[in-house]
Amino acid sequence: MVTVNLNTKVLPTSHRVYMVRPGSGYHLRQAFVENHAIAPDLAGLSVRDGKRPRDSKKIVAQIKRARAMAEWVRTEETRAEKIPPSKLAKWKGGENPPRLGMYRNIADEILHQLPKGTLIYVPNPNFTEDAMFGELVGAEEARVKFNGTGHRSQFTYLGRKLTNVKFLPMRKLPKAFFPPMKKRNWTFEMDTISAELLYRQYYGDFEIVGRKSITEIKVTKSRVYAPDLAIVGAVTNLVDQTIRRLEVQDAEMISLLDVVFLAPENDAPVIHANLGSSGEVLVEAVRRHSARVVKVLLVLAVVYTGHEIWHMVENNELSLGNSQAILGVGVEDLAETQQLTYDFVRSTGRDSLNEIVGIVREFHDRTGGNVDATIIVDE
């Protein structure tokens, strides 16, 4: 049995992307980067693991102290004064600072409310450098404490860890990611369109359950030619058109050459390419799951001939899995992809499939193109 692990990130439709500003004047950015964590800009904040900041009896006094420390460090003149007392007892009673509720809510949002897996964007004020991205750990996991930098190095900050941290060039981000940086918001949720544009860069391969699937083809060779992109487009169209004809029980099958000259349909897959040298090609399918079938074909073509793939399908010896699927989600989609793969192979025919796989293998050899999937052989 041959099993293809698609290794495709599965995202729920509720998946969110948040910008988290790394403190006033971006003073916490380096601390965020070094610790792979985010934190509210509240020096000295201390809330027990698992407890919500808004439910802490000491939260008001802690915010008072933090805001006093923020005022103290603001200018050279204020730093010449005595540093505000660190003992919390000194901050009980008295007037509350302006926007107390806002600070409490943001601390609660960052450290507890935002769900596990939320994609976090930490901007860089220098547009020629990298922004940090990562997925939030669960609110129940241990929080981290780290020191600030510069004049704030004597202060500690309470943070929440990020996993799968990546650094992406600010210049490659969608334009919608820049206006929120000019606001004073500590957190800002990106809109759906901007979020999906980011998913392409952060995840590469991903699927939004019930909405769309995207396959990333990474190209590693220094020279890439126009016909190489045409091959990806032709194979993608062939898979998609074959699936479409099977859906409507159209007995007329088409060839790789035929699809090159077909006019695009509204629900046809879309290809996003960053080529000319090493880069990537993204195959995006909204209605039919052709992007997933293309991925299966691309990974198998590196190892097997079309004849071998044909025999796997005929003997029911090809199965699909996905190590990045959400538990209990996407099971039906995966089964459908396997069935569509079988249908495509059988409809294409043994010899035609061998020709197509040969062309795909030449694409691999010439461009270094590969997909993030693995093959497991069970003898």
Side-chain angles (χ1 to χ4, degrees):
M1 177 66 74
V2 173
T3 301
V4 175
N5 174 16
L6 292 175
N7 199 31
T8 297
K9 182 73 175 182
V10 177
L11 305 174
T13 54
S14 59
H15 198 58
R16 304 153 82 181
V17 176
Y18 270 80
M19 182 197 81
V20 175
R21 183 182 300 279
S24 175
Y26 291 75
H27 72 89
L28 282 172
R29 187 183 178 281
Q30 191 58 35
F32 281 15
V33 168
E34 290 174 357
N35 292 277
H36 285 190
I38 57 171
D41 188 6
L42 294 169
L45 187 65
S46 181
V47 183
R48 190 176 71 247
D49 287 348
K51 189 177 184 65
R52 298 190 66 164
R54 73 176 190 185
D55 295 336
S56 172
K57 294 180 181 179
K58 300 178 180 179
I59 190 65
V60 174
Q62 290 187 31
I63 290 175
K64 287 180 181 179
R65 180 180 61 187
R67 296 315 299 160
M69 289 178 173
E71 286 299 321
W72 175 82
V73 81
R74 191 180 301 278
T75 64
E76 188 175 343
E77 288 75 19
T78 55
R79 290 194 299 275
E81 301 172 2
K82 188 177 180 180
I83 190 170
S86 59
K87 290 187 177 180
L88 207 57
K90 298 286 187 180
W91 299 98
K92 292 182 179 179
E95 289 187 17
N96 291 334
R99 302 190 296 277
L100 170 67
M102 181 196 75
Y103 295 126
R104 179 170 50 202
N105 290 341
I106 291 178
D108 197 70
E109 180 180 42
I110 291 175
L111 296 175
H112 186 90
Q113 284 183 37
L114 290 178
K116 179 180 180 179
T118 297
L119 186 53
I120 299 298
Y121 153 54
V122 178
N124 192 322
N126 187 337
F127 288 179
T128 65
E129 296 184 2
D130 293 342
M132 181 174 77
F133 293 86
E135 296 172 308
L136 273 178
V137 302
E140 73 284 355
E141 295 193 32
R143 294 168 181 146
V144 294
K145 282 189 177 180
F146 49 81
N147 288 88
T149 56
H151 297 298
R152 298 173 177 84
S153 59
Q154 58 191 303
F155 301 153
T156 61
Y157 295 85
L158 186 64
R160 187 170 166 189
K161 292 289 288 184
L162 300 175
T163 61
N164 303 319
V165 172
K166 296 182 181 180
F167 296 89
L168 301 175
M170 289 289 295
R171 58 185 171 77
K172 286 190 175 182
L173 296 180
K175 292 180 180 179
F177 276 69
F178 300 125
M181 293 175 60
K182 300 177 182 178
K183 301 179 180 179
R184 297 181 63 186
N185 306 57
W186 286 13
T187 63
F188 182 86
E189 183 174 11
M190 308 306 299
D191 63 59
T192 301
I193 295 176
S194 301
E196 290 190 9
L197 289 173
L198 174 64
Y199 296 161
R200 296 177 191 167
Q201 296 182 53
Y202 180 80
Y203 293 115
D205 273 15
F206 70 91
E207 174 186 341
I208 302 176
V209 177
R211 187 184 299 170
K212 67 174 60 177
S213 58
I214 288 188
T215 288
E216 179 183 48
I217 306 167
K218 298 174 184 177
V219 176
T220 59
K221 293 292 179 68
S222 59
R223 297 192 70 181
V224 181
Y225 299 93
D228 295 320
L229 184 58
I231 289 171
V232 176
V235 171
T236 299
N237 286 339
L238 178 63
V239 170
D240 188 67
Q241 285 297 318
T242 301
I243 292 173
R244 189 186 72 79
R245 281 163 168 72
L246 289 170
E247 282 182 347
V248 297
Q249 298 181 338
D250 186 344
E252 182 184 357
M253 290 294 110
I254 55 177
S255 69
L256 193 61
L257 182 62
D258 292 333
V259 295
V260 173
F261 300 102
L262 281 178
E265 300 174 333
N266 291 333
D267 59 356
V270 177
I271 293 179
H272 312 274
N274 173 24
L275 288 179
S277 59
S278 56
E280 66 280 330
V281 181
L282 299 180
V283 179
E284 176 180 342
V286 175
R287 182 177 177 274
R288 293 176 286 274
H289 295 314
S290 48
R292 295 197 212 126
V293 179
V294 169
K295 185 173 187 178
V296 176
L297 187 61
L298 288 172
V299 70
L300 288 174
V302 178
V303 181
Y304 300 103
T305 66
H307 287 162
E308 290 170 326
I309 297 170
W310 167 268
H311 286 299
M312 285 180 208
V313 169
E314 283 300 288
N315 297 319
N316 199 30
E317 293 179 344
L318 174 65
S319 66
L320 305 185
N322 186 13
S323 57
Q324 291 207 54
I326 302 172
L327 185 63
V329 177
V331 177
E332 293 181 359
D333 285 348
L334 190 61
E336 182 187 11
T337 303
Q338 178 160 329
Q339 185 59 55
L340 291 175
T341 301
Y342 272 51
D343 291 344
F344 171 75
V345 169
R346 287 169 175 155
S347 299
T348 302
R350 181 176 179 273
D351 291 335
S352 293
L353 181 66
N354 198 57
E355 181 182 358
I356 293 166
V357 168
I359 293 172
V360 172
R361 182 174 291 183
E362 289 175 2
F363 166 81
H364 278 288
D365 294 341
R366 189 167 53 252
T367 67
N370 62 84
V371 292
D372 188 14
T374 54
I375 296 174
I376 303 167
V377 180
D378 184 11
E379 298 294 345

